[in-house]
Amino acid sequence: SGCAHLIDVNMPAVEEIGKGTFSNCYSLTSISLPVATSIGDCAFQYCGALTSVSLPAANSIGDCAFGGCDALASISLPAATSIGSGAFWGCGALTSVSLPAATSFGSGAFQGCKTLTSVSMPVATTIKSGAFSDCSYLCDIYVGDQPAQCDNPFSKVTYATATLHVPT
């Protein structure tokens, strides 16, 4: 935490990233941790230079794990089953999210992702209040064939032509 000159993280044998482990590492630009199964609360919070995340084995993303990562433009989390509250809040450069195995989205999970235009969640089962609030340009929302229990997850989604894609 707080390593101002850390640029890259590539540790193939890590199973869990603890709470706040890489928070405030302002120069960190990329993460590649193929074996990590759990990302703790605030693990990468305020890593302002972080542009991409690839965590294919992460099953759980903690609260505020990537919150405040302004430059985060892409995420690859195909095995994530639980996305914590505020996990990606304020990721201003994020344009699309595809989380094929995500089953739970916490409150404000993607809140304030101002450039987010597309969300794909094929097997989402629970989407908490405000999960995608303040995503001003969200226009395509893809929800899979399983019903999702929602509690106003898209508040303040104001794009005039937003489309919710749900299979027949």
Side-chain angles (χ1 to χ4, degrees):
S1 178
C3 293
H5 300 293
L6 181 64
I7 296 170
D8 184 33
V9 174
N10 187 351
M11 297 185 296
V14 175
E15 185 174 318
E16 180 179 345
I17 307 286
K19 182 177 181 177
T21 302
F22 295 100
S23 65
N24 298 304
C25 292
Y26 306 111
S27 299
L28 185 62
T29 58
S30 67
I31 302 165
S32 181
L33 300 167
V35 182
T37 57
S38 177
I39 308 300
D41 295 349
C42 308
F44 295 93
Q45 188 174 27
Y46 297 119
C47 291
L50 187 61
T51 57
S52 67
V53 173
S54 179
L55 302 165
N59 292 323
S60 174
I61 309 298
D63 296 346
C64 301
F66 296 93
C69 294
D70 308 359
L72 188 59
S74 70
I75 57 173
S76 177
L77 301 165
T81 56
S82 175
I83 308 295
S85 295
F88 294 94
W89 68 265
C91 292
L94 194 59
T95 57
S96 68
V97 174
S98 180
L99 301 166
T103 58
S104 174
F105 293 85
S107 298
F110 291 90
Q111 181 176 356
C113 294
K114 300 287 185 189
T115 60
L116 188 62
T117 60
S118 176
V119 173
S120 177
M121 48 187 155
V123 293
T125 56
T126 304
I127 305 170
K128 299 282 182 147
S129 176
F132 297 93
S133 69
D134 291 324
C135 295
S136 307
Y137 291 100
L138 187 56
C139 55
D140 287 304
I141 304 158
Y142 297 90
V143 178
D145 56 0
Q146 295 181 4
Q149 178 182 2
C150 301
D151 179 24
N152 195 22
F154 302 105
S155 64
K156 297 182 184 176
V157 172
T158 57
Y159 196 70
T161 58
T163 303
L164 177 62
H165 304 271
V166 181
T168 59

